[in-house]
Amino acid sequence: MKHKLLTLAMTILMAGSLAACGKSAAHSSKTLNVTLPDEPATVDPNTAYDTNSASLITQTMEGLYKYDKNNRIVAGVATKVVKPTNNGKTYRFQLRKNAKWSNGQPVTANDFVTSFRRTVNPKKKAQFASVYDCFKNFDAVQAGKMSPDKLGVKALNSRTLQIQLTRAVPYFNDLVTNKYLPINSKAVSKYGKQFGTSSTKSVYDGPYKLVGWSGSNSSWHYVKNPYYWNAHNVKIPKVNVTVTKEQNTAVNLFKSGKIQVTSVTGQYVRENKNDPEMHTHLTGRENYLYFNNKKPQTDSENLRQAISAVINRKELVNNVLQDGSKQMLSAVPEGDQKDPANGKDMAKEVGNLLPQNVAKAKQYWNAYLKEVGKKQVTLNLLTDDTDQDKHTGEYIQSVAQKNLKGLKVTMTSIPHAQHVSRDFAGNFEMNLTGWSTNWLDASDFLGLGTSTNQVNFTHLKNAKFDSLMNQSNHLSGQARYNKLVQADKYFTAFKGYVPLYQPAQANLISKHVGGLKYSLLNDAQYQYAYWK
């Protein structure tokens, strides 16, 4: 009898265990549904210029290094995080034998060489070409004096990559992780100019491959890449993505359980700050206003100074955005750079260089009116068509028209990809935009104002500022930090662009989903997500 009871108990236990396993397996295969605030422009790592494209690339591509589930840099396609030689100027990487593309081809050292050379080729006009400015021969290549194959990168064999720099770079590992991505050499050769324009015209070496993106549609999905070297640790096999521009729509989808991850802003964040499913973090991004210095009506420091001084940035973040964003104090956001001497934040050490001063704003405005010889001026402000950008634009429009007599501000709000096209074409007067960094160093945000930067759409040139930034590139430690502080103060003083605020990002994440972590540099990586 005792034996029969034991057997029965074991049978029930085993049945329960099998049922639990079955339930777990079914749950792990469930699709994750997420949103994106706007359409991406490309999935080409060499030419991507917007945050929405970066989102696709983050989920589908991997460089020599990657971020782990705790946002620490670890080995990716490379076998380990290496130490440089030659006083920090030579790096040699070994690639994993099992690193493969989504078509089954091995990831080779030449795939990195192809990518790097393609990016710096001046004919490509890649927005991020400047991140290679520390590579040997970069300046000569960009100037068209040397061929891109003279860039300081070489495939010593199929699995050994060597990089030669002209100077040691303190944030180099971040660049290796975020920016120096490979591309499939055969795919680039096959698709030519069409490479990266749709999901079928690219190949992926990351945890997911992109499926169903035509280049213009508003929904697609990520499917687990079976050839990814770490595929066995990717828990969720499919992620559906839908572009959702209206916050109310996104919230309703989340509350009904149709999506599990979405971003929210403004009043919703303020009214639901105690919601356990809402997670807020400050981003390594700066939103700013810039002016087209190729147009006579906006080529004026008096105009830049007037608009900057009339804006109350504290009011903007607290009363308009209401999402945890922070006012910019200078051109460098909080958390981006620390003083080597005491560990203090540069933004706080420099202090508030952007206070509202309506009286000064009016003085600058009157000087501007004399410059252009007019009593009334109409200026157009270009923004994205997202709620956050439209609200920011409306605030600038309101305070400028209220305090600057004779000024009329019109607004044009368009999809992000169209906005960026107008940036490059110079088709704007005043422009509300933003920049997200991939490494914690003030040189990235300050570099936006240098005359040689591909994304200096103001086309403003200041020789002294260029000199300060160039000097900082050849310094290290405290001397470099001090030079960057000097550059920050100088740039903010003449308003090369007008810093506004450092955005916070609030996300609704289902209580049933774990593993999604955000940081100043990183959006959540779905390869670490799991169903609870």
Side-chain angles (χ1 to χ4, degrees):
M1 184 69 177
K2 183 178 178 181
H3 177 70
K4 288 182 178 180
L5 287 172
L6 180 61
T7 302
L8 179 61
M10 291 180 67
T11 302
I12 294 172
L13 180 62
M14 289 176 65
S17 298
L18 290 171
C21 288
K23 182 178 179 182
S24 176
H27 200 49
S28 66
S29 64
K30 184 179 176 183
T31 298
L32 180 67
N33 298 284
V34 306
T35 68
L36 202 64
D38 215 331
E39 288 87 357
T42 182
V43 73
D44 180 351
N46 299 157
T47 60
Y49 48 71
D50 63 292
T51 54
N52 301 303
S53 296
S55 180
L56 271 65
I57 293 167
T58 295
Q59 308 302 340
T60 59
M61 298 294 295
E62 184 171 286
L64 295 159
Y65 301 160
K66 68 172 187 172
Y67 292 105
D68 68 10
K69 62 182 180 180
N70 294 311
N71 287 311
R72 296 173 300 198
I73 292 176
V74 296
V77 172
T79 58
K80 65 178 181 179
V81 176
V82 304
K83 292 183 178 181
T85 57
N86 187 27
N87 296 317
K89 294 186 289 187
T90 301
Y91 286 80
R92 185 172 292 184
F93 305 90
Q94 294 296 319
L95 275 56
R96 295 178 186 272
K97 292 181 180 179
N98 59 343
K100 294 184 178 180
W101 293 99
S102 54
N103 59 7
Q105 296 172 356
V107 180
T108 68
N110 191 57
D111 290 329
F112 286 90
V113 173
T114 299
S115 178
F116 297 2
R117 289 175 177 173
R118 185 169 177 261
T119 304
V120 303
N121 189 329
K123 294 180 181 179
K124 201 67 183 173
K125 296 182 179 179
Q127 188 179 108
F128 283 104
S130 60
V131 301
Y132 291 88
D133 67 358
C134 55
F135 277 54
K136 184 179 178 180
N137 296 330
F138 170 82
D139 290 336
V141 172
Q142 278 282 285
K145 296 178 180 178
M146 280 189 178
S147 169
D149 61 12
K150 299 298 183 182
L151 187 71
V153 60
K154 182 185 297 185
L156 301 182
N157 57 52
S158 63
R159 292 199 302 111
T160 306
L161 181 74
Q162 180 174 286
I163 294 175
Q164 290 279 91
L165 307 180
T166 57
R167 64 181 189 275
V169 179
Y171 49 87
F172 190 75
N173 284 354
D174 282 314
L175 294 177
V176 171
T177 308
N178 284 303
K179 304 309 300 180
Y180 300 156
L181 300 176
I183 54 174
N184 186 281
S185 302
K186 293 181 179 179
V188 172
S189 178
K190 177 180 179 180
Y191 297 119
K193 292 182 179 180
Q194 293 298 307
F195 178 78
T197 58
S198 69
S199 58
T200 57
K201 291 183 172 61
S202 188
V203 188
Y204 316 93
D205 75 325
Y208 291 98
K209 57 182 181 179
L210 182 64
V211 177
W213 182 60
S214 67
S216 59
N217 57 324
S218 297
S219 62
W220 57 88
H221 44 271
Y222 306 123
V223 175
K224 184 176 178 178
N225 177 6
Y227 293 105
Y228 178 52
W229 67 268
N230 200 29
H232 63 285
N233 283 322
V234 178
K235 303 292 193 301
I236 294 180
K238 185 178 179 181
V239 182
N240 287 333
V241 187
T242 304
V243 172
T244 310
K245 298 181 182 181
E246 295 296 327
Q247 180 168 277
N248 288 340
T249 301
V251 170
N252 289 335
L253 289 170
F254 181 85
K255 295 298 183 182
S256 65
K258 293 181 180 179
I259 59 173
Q260 290 77 48
V261 184
T262 191
S263 59
V264 287
T265 59
Q267 188 174 353
Y268 184 89
V269 176
R270 183 175 183 178
E271 293 178 351
N272 296 272
K273 60 183 178 181
N274 295 322
D275 185 346
E277 291 187 304
M278 187 167 69
H279 305 264
T280 303
H281 70 285
L282 205 60
T283 64
R285 181 176 174 83
E286 174 182 351
N287 281 18
Y288 57 97
L289 187 66
Y290 62 86
F291 300 76
N292 192 338
N293 286 277
K294 284 195 171 183
K295 292 183 179 290
Q297 191 161 262
T298 47
D299 180 18
S300 169
E301 182 178 342
N302 282 319
L303 174 62
R304 301 194 304 270
Q305 296 283 10
I307 298 295
S308 179
V310 84
I311 296 170
N312 186 328
R313 290 160 178 80
K314 189 173 183 179
E315 182 179 62
L316 172 61
V317 298
N318 290 342
N319 299 341
V320 179
L321 300 175
Q322 303 179 24
D323 60 0
S325 296
K326 290 196 173 184
Q327 66 182 103
M328 289 296 297
L329 305 177
S330 66
V332 179
E334 184 177 316
D336 191 61
Q337 183 94 45
K338 290 183 178 180
D339 187 334
N342 54 32
K344 291 183 178 180
D345 189 85
M346 178 188 284
K348 294 179 180 178
E349 278 200 326
V350 169
N352 189 5
L353 305 181
L354 297 165
Q356 183 190 41
N357 190 322
V358 175
K360 277 192 175 182
K362 291 179 178 180
Q363 291 175 9
Y364 283 121
W365 176 247
N366 289 332
Y368 166 73
L369 290 177
K370 288 182 180 179
E371 273 184 39
V372 296
K374 296 180 179 180
K375 292 183 178 180
Q376 293 185 329
V377 174
T378 298
L379 297 174
N380 182 258
L381 173 59
L382 184 65
T383 79
D384 274 9
D385 61 355
T386 60
D387 286 346
Q388 186 180 52
D389 273 19
K390 285 191 286 188
H391 291 160
T392 302
E394 288 165 358
Y395 171 79
I396 294 170
Q397 180 186 50
S398 174
V399 296
Q401 291 183 160
K402 176 182 177 181
N403 294 291
L404 304 178
K405 186 178 179 180
L407 173 61
K408 180 180 179 181
V409 177
T410 60
M411 267 183 60
T412 301
S413 298
I414 56 178
H416 185 74
Q418 294 178 30
H419 187 168
V420 174
S421 294
R422 288 184 60 169
D423 291 342
F424 278 100
N427 186 14
F428 64 89
E429 290 181 326
M430 297 192 299
N431 204 330
L432 177 63
T433 191
W435 184 259
S436 297
T437 190
N438 292 116
W439 61 91
L440 297 181
D441 192 89
S443 62
D444 192 24
F445 291 103
L446 294 173
L448 295 170
T450 57
S451 60
T452 57
N453 195 306
Q454 295 280 356
V455 292
N456 181 1
F457 299 121
T458 70
H459 301 291
L460 180 65
K461 296 182 179 180
N462 186 293
K464 181 177 178 179
F465 179 68
D466 284 348
S467 177
L468 289 171
M469 292 302 296
N470 185 55
Q471 291 172 47
S472 73
N473 286 334
H474 296 87
L475 298 171
S476 60
Q478 193 66 43
R480 181 175 181 273
Y481 176 84
N482 293 341
K483 189 61 68 175
L484 289 172
V485 167
Q486 186 181 353
D488 184 21
K489 290 179 177 179
Y490 181 77
F491 184 78
T492 306
F494 75 85
K495 306 297 184 298
Y497 57 73
V498 176
L500 296 174
Y501 67 95
Q502 181 177 2
Q505 182 176 327
N507 296 284
L508 291 175
I509 303 175
S510 170
K511 61 184 178 182
H512 301 297
V513 177
L516 297 181
K517 293 185 178 181
Y518 300 81
S519 72
L520 276 173
L521 293 181
N522 302 320
D523 213 343
Q525 299 179 77
Y526 299 136
Q527 65 172 302
Y528 301 122
Y530 59 88
W531 291 101
K532 294 181 180 178

